[in-house]
Amino acid sequence: MAHTVDTAAASTARLDLAKMRKIALASVIGTTVEWYDLFVFGTASALVFNKIFFPSFDPIVGTMLAFGTFASAYIARMVGAIVFGHFGDRLGRKSMLLVSLLTMGAATFAIGLLPDYAAIGIMAPLLLLLLRVIQGLALGGEWGGAVLMTVEHAPSTRRGFYGSLVQVGVPAGTLIANVAFLIVASSMSSEDLLAWGWRIPFLASCLLVAVGIYIRLNIEETPSFQAVKTAGAKAKMPFTALMAKYWKQVVLGGVATLSTGSTFTLLVASGVAYGKKELGHSESLMLWVVLSACALCFVLIPFFGKLSDKHGRKPIIYAGVIAEATLAFPMFWLMDTKSVALLFVAYLAMMTAFAANYGPIATFLAELFGSKVRYSGLSVAYMLSGLLGSAATPFITTWLLGLTGESSSIAWYILAAALASLAALFVLTETRHGNIDAVDEAPAVAGAATAGSTEATAAK
């Protein structure tokens, strides 16, 4: 009898593991597609959009306008987080993931068909801005739902690891986006790249979207949402309920995540423009540097997510943010030597720091909120960080560089973002031991200066 029970338990464990792998795969592929769509725009902003859609402006102004269009998506992401968060908390995670993926894919494909400034004048950048806003709306709903599909399904002892797998979508999407541009840029002349070659990475998005939708159609709703639904406890207005009870977590969670957006956007967008225009490196070389850094990040993010299951979310995130702050100046010292080898070293070192910061942050944010408003809370907090960090970084760094002519000005900006994140993280509490499945749980709240337990903090 005991043997039969053991066999049944082992079979159940294998089924659960297979289920988690399927859910994780669906989330990773979906977020990879979404981030590919987002960052292929960022790469194009750094390399070609200032010439295609803003050709009548001074080169620096044109680049700033291109990055301004890039940043507009982050405002839309906040709106998308509220809208998709509302329906994600009301109708479930799965349906919102499918809608967001389709929306993002359609907008990206349309960008690939967009006439340039020479063809339709001012309508070209205006339409580009509109499509960029649609991209932002979609991503505002995608990321939070994908995180919850893994974190709310995962065993309590492995939430950090499975949540970090969703984060892999960022370097994976960026890697694929840069590979696409690398292939296109290296296989044609600069004239052809500007004339039509830049469209290929955008049009190719439809293939990735089709794969993502196919896989996501076969995943189940999360236990946390099912428990809320069964108990009849769904919030009527999730965003209102969120801000009434968890506004501190939203604000502090967004600031705590600020440095991830600043650092990553520096590496994949601003850094590419700086290396090309200020240091004289070729487009292909800068794309190869980003490619190598993202490949490393692809491996390190799950590693740090797993460490957070053992040591807690905050210690690992602390280490990553402190490393980002420490490397802010050395990164540019190495880059400014114009040595190709040291350029790679600079990027790989900073990307390692980013991975430690970014790996556990999705699970950490998800665990801050109750299950009735978790989709809204997680999405809004993360998109707030994007608005504060990722959206501002390309514009501010271009402006600082044009104003001072010194790379140290950018390093000071990265250092300031890291210090802000450290301050917010210090106020938030550790979340690793919280129960995220209870319908009326009291998650970790802001207000404690040290990392106490969830239960102790909730009692305050």
Side-chain angles (χ1 to χ4, degrees), residues 380-458:
V380 172
Y382 185 75
M383 297 312 157
L384 175 62
S385 76
L387 188 61
L388 296 174
S390 300
T393 296
F395 185 87
I396 291 177
T397 53
T398 301
W399 174 73
L400 286 172
L401 194 60
L403 181 68
T404 67
E406 299 290 337
S407 61
S408 60
S409 62
I410 303 177
W412 279 114
Y413 169 73
I414 297 301
L415 177 61
L419 292 177
S421 289
L422 283 175
L425 185 64
F426 182 75
V427 178
L428 290 166
T429 62
E430 179 59 61
T431 62
R432 177 167 54 122
H433 299 297
N435 176 15
I436 68 169
D437 291 329
V439 173
D440 295 314
E441 83 282 16
V445 298
T450 58
S453 69
T454 299
E455 294 79 12
T457 306

Side-chain angles (χ1 to χ4, degrees), residues 307-456:
L307 282 183
S308 77
D309 284 324
K310 182 177 181 181
H311 301 290
R313 318 295 180 219
K314 287 182 64 174
I316 307 304
I317 299 171
Y318 270 136
V321 179
I322 291 171
E324 288 171 343
T326 303
L327 290 170
F329 284 93
M331 176 182 173
F332 283 98
W333 295 338
L334 293 172
M335 289 181 68
D336 288 345
T337 65
K338 298 186 180 181
S339 164
V340 174
L342 293 181
L343 174 65
F344 275 91
V345 171
Y347 260 69
L348 294 177
M350 185 60 89
M351 193 63 89
T352 299
F354 165 79
N357 185 0
Y358 196 63
I361 202 73
T363 304
F364 177 68
L365 291 179
E367 291 168 341
L368 287 174
F369 302 99
S371 56
K372 290 188 282 189
V373 295
R374 185 172 293 132
Y375 201 130
S376 297
L378 171 64
S379 299
V380 172
Y382 185 75
M383 297 312 157
L384 175 62
S385 76
L387 188 61
L388 296 174
S390 300
T393 296
F395 185 87
I396 291 177
T397 53
T398 301
W399 174 73
L400 286 172
L401 194 60
L403 181 68
T404 67
E406 299 290 337
S407 61
S408 60
S409 62
I410 303 177
W412 279 114
Y413 169 73
I414 297 301
L415 177 61
L419 292 177
S421 289
L422 283 175
L425 185 64
F426 182 75
V427 178
L428 290 166
T429 62
E430 179 59 61
T431 62
R432 177 167 54 122
H433 299 297
N435 176 15
I436 68 169
D437 291 329
V439 173
D440 295 314
E441 83 282 16
V445 298
T450 58
S453 69
T454 299
E455 294 79 12

Side-chain angles (χ1 to χ4, degrees), residues 110-171:
I111 290 173
L113 300 175
L114 194 62
D116 60 18
Y117 189 92
I120 60 173
I122 193 64
M123 285 302 298
L126 291 178
L127 288 173
L128 181 68
L129 175 61
L130 174 62
L131 293 172
R132 183 61 175 169
V133 166
I134 294 173
Q135 279 190 323
L137 290 170
L139 188 63
E142 157 67 27
W143 183 84
V147 169
L148 294 188
M149 286 302 295
T150 55
V151 170
E152 290 184 347
H153 273 291
S156 60
T157 57
R158 303 199 73 192
R159 289 200 300 256
F161 171 71
Y162 280 109
S164 71
L165 293 181
V166 177
Q167 303 292 71
V168 169
V170 171

Side-chain angles (χ1 to χ4, degrees), residues 167-179 182 264 267-268 286-304 344 347-352 354-355:
Q167 303 292 71
V168 169
V170 171
T174 308
L175 188 149
I176 297 172
N178 280 284
V179 166
L182 182 65
F264 194 77
L267 292 171
V268 303
M286 292 309 301
L287 291 175
W288 272 114
V289 172
V290 173
L291 188 85
S292 301
C294 288
L296 176 66
C297 198
F298 189 87
V299 176
L300 290 180
I301 283 178
F303 170 74
F304 287 117
F344 275 91
Y347 260 69
L348 294 177
M350 185 60 89
M351 193 63 89
T352 299
F354 165 79

Side-chain angles (χ1 to χ4, degrees), residues 71-146:
S72 66
Y74 289 91
I75 299 174
R77 281 168 62 174
M78 179 61 73
V79 177
I82 296 172
V83 173
F84 280 92
H86 172 88
F87 290 105
D89 285 322
R90 292 287 302 167
L91 304 178
R93 302 8 177 165
K94 178 178 176 179
S95 59
M96 292 304 101
L97 287 174
L98 292 171
V99 172
S100 64
L101 188 57
L102 277 170
T103 303
M104 175 67 88
T108 304
F109 188 81
I111 290 173
L113 300 175
L114 194 62
D116 60 18
Y117 189 92
I120 60 173
I122 193 64
M123 285 302 298
L126 291 178
L127 288 173
L128 181 68
L129 175 61
L130 174 62
L131 293 172
R132 183 61 175 169
V133 166
I134 294 173
Q135 279 190 323
L137 290 170
L139 188 63
E142 157 67 27
W143 183 84

